[in-house]
Amino acid sequence: MKGIKGARIYFWNDTLSNEIAKHDANEKQFAPSPFNPIQLRQIDRQTEIMKNSALALLLLLGTAACMTPPPPPVERPPAKIALALGGGAARGFAHVGVIKALEAQGISADIVVGTSAGSVVGALYASGLDGFQIQELSMNMGEDQVIDGSGMYQCIAETMVSNKRGCIKGQALQDFINRNVHGLAIEKLDKTFAAVATNLKTGKMVVFRTGNTGMAVRASSSVPVFFEPVTINGQDYVDGGLVAPVPSSVARSLGADFVIAVDISDRPQDQSTAGITDILWQTFSIFGQTLNRHEQSSADIVIRPVTHGLPSANVSGRNKAVLEGEKAVAAILPELKAKLAKLNETRHVAGMP
């Protein structure tokens, strides 16, 4: 087909058609941008700013995550440590050595429970005296300061041949305690304190938590036959060793998290049975041994000073008794520290991180 006259003449064929299509495609591919060069540079800058801002935000979030403070430590309530001091007459001086040795390791009781001789030392300790002060007091103590009436051996002879309820009144012991705790009632002492006694009529355990400190100690220490029963509010009370020779269960009932029991009782196999006095003490030893097995199940650790050979009826062996108390603590110290460290995981033990 021919074109119009005067114009360039093309012959329409397939090749020409293809060329025109390619030309149109190229025109579209390289079509001019709707933005001028200045606008394009602004768009590029904004795009770069947005990229940098996004990167900065990601870095900030990552840094914040790394800087998040650790959760606060779990609050551990303070651990309450109790000292359960057992009975044992004049062997009770061993308790002084135990207290001294524990204090040397930074271990101090919050709760103190005592039976008989343990109540004597326990009351002094609960009043705020430390081990050295109690030792000084006990070393300078005369027998007449705690025993009124006949001497110990004359007392035994008199009691056996009379209808007396006991030849030692116990008033001297009561006065000695009250004087050295400055007249404070039990509930006013520095530490929680309890003295364990036995109701003579019912045979039941009685725990004195309030009232006259010296009178409670006197009741707890009134060994039958030797001491007269103590009458309080119309009831007669005698030595607490008849029901709780080592009062671990009482210490636990007062809220202790950890109970350190101190057993100063004689072992029956170590005792003589040659005379009437020996047989009397042996009776107490056998009786107390059975009760101790039950009581000590409430203790976390038991300290047993070697008391064999120490006199129970006089104070002549006080220095050796104190030393045996210190040695007994040294013997169980690794076990004691390990158990306290375990307790410290859930309850804060004073002196531990």
Side-chain angles (χ1 to χ4, degrees):
M1 180 178 179
K2 293 182 180 180
I4 301 172
K5 185 179 179 179
R8 186 174 294 179
I9 300 173
Y10 295 96
F11 292 91
W12 198 271
N13 55 32
D14 291 340
T15 302
L16 183 60
S17 177
N18 289 338
E19 289 297 324
I20 293 171
K22 288 180 181 179
H23 175 77
D24 290 343
N26 289 335
E27 287 293 322
K28 290 179 180 178
Q29 182 176 356
F30 297 101
S33 170
F35 302 103
N36 60 44
I38 295 176
Q39 289 175 322
L40 287 173
R41 284 196 296 273
Q42 289 176 342
I43 291 173
D44 288 341
R45 281 199 299 270
Q46 290 173 356
T47 302
E48 188 65 26
I49 290 171
M50 290 176 67
K51 288 180 179 179
N52 291 338
S53 298
L55 180 60
L57 179 60
L58 289 173
L59 290 173
L60 181 62
L61 290 173
T63 304
C66 294
M67 296 177 61
T68 301
V74 177
E75 188 69 24
R76 292 173 299 161
K80 292 184 179 181
I81 298 176
L83 204 53
L85 305 177
R91 295 186 299 272
F93 291 106
H95 290 315
V96 180
V98 168
I99 291 171
K100 283 178 60 185
L102 291 176
E103 288 182 328
Q105 297 298 322
I107 301 170
S108 178
D110 307 286
I111 300 168
V112 186
V113 183
T115 289
S116 196
S119 72
V120 175
V121 176
L124 297 173
Y125 181 45
S127 74
L129 298 178
D130 62 29
F132 283 97
Q133 291 172 317
I134 300 173
Q135 181 178 18
E136 182 180 5
L137 183 63
S138 61
M139 292 302 128
N140 296 323
M141 179 188 70
E143 189 171 297
D144 59 341
Q145 289 182 271
V146 292
I147 296 178
D148 43 14
S150 308
M152 180 61 73
Y153 291 105
Q154 184 179 345
C155 166
I156 296 171
E158 290 176 356
T159 303
M160 294 299 178
V161 297
S162 71
N163 291 325
K164 295 171 64 175
R165 303 182 81 195
C167 58
I168 301 174
K169 293 180 179 179
Q171 185 65 48
L173 175 61
Q174 177 176 324
D175 293 343
F176 174 81
I177 293 296
N178 282 335
R179 184 166 58 252
N180 285 288
V181 302
H182 308 291
L184 293 174
I186 292 174
E187 65 271 23
K188 299 295 184 181
L189 298 176
D190 285 0
K191 301 177 185 290
T192 298
F193 175 68
V196 178
T198 305
N199 185 304
L200 184 60
K201 186 175 182 64
T202 66
K204 293 182 178 180
M205 178 172 65
V206 176
V207 180
F208 290 103
R209 292 285 317 282
T210 60
N212 188 309
T213 303
M215 184 174 287
V217 170
R218 175 184 174 186
S220 179
S221 306
S222 291
V223 180
V225 180
F226 302 119
F227 282 78
E228 294 180 2
V230 179
T231 303
I232 301 175
N233 296 327
Q235 297 290 316
D236 288 337
Y237 298 97
V238 292
D239 196 286
L242 297 176
V243 289
V246 181
S248 305
S249 62
V250 177
R252 184 71 70 186
S253 71
L254 295 181
D257 298 305
F258 193 90
V259 177
I260 302 172
V262 186
D263 180 8
I264 59 170
S265 60
D266 277 329
R267 298 186 306 166
Q269 59 267 38
D270 294 333
Q271 303 309 302
S272 168
T273 55
I276 188 171
T277 305
D278 294 331
I279 293 173
L280 182 61
W281 286 120
Q282 179 73 336
T283 302
F284 281 114
S285 296
I286 295 170
F287 191 63
Q289 187 180 57
T290 303
L291 291 172
N292 271 344
R293 279 194 286 268
H294 169 71
E295 280 291 324
Q296 290 175 8
S297 64
S298 297
D300 293 284
I301 196 165
V302 181
I303 299 173
R304 294 184 176 90
V306 177
T307 58
H308 176 58
L310 293 175
S312 56
N314 64 71
V315 297
S316 61
R318 66 185 84 178
N319 285 305
K320 188 174 188 305
V322 172
L323 179 60
E324 290 298 336
E326 294 175 353
K327 288 164 61 178
V329 172
I332 57 87
L333 194 57
E335 180 186 1
L336 175 60
K337 284 188 171 182
K339 289 185 174 182
L340 288 175
K342 182 67 176 176
L343 174 64
N344 193 51
E345 294 175 4
T346 55
R347 291 184 175 274
H348 182 235
V349 177
M352 289 188 172

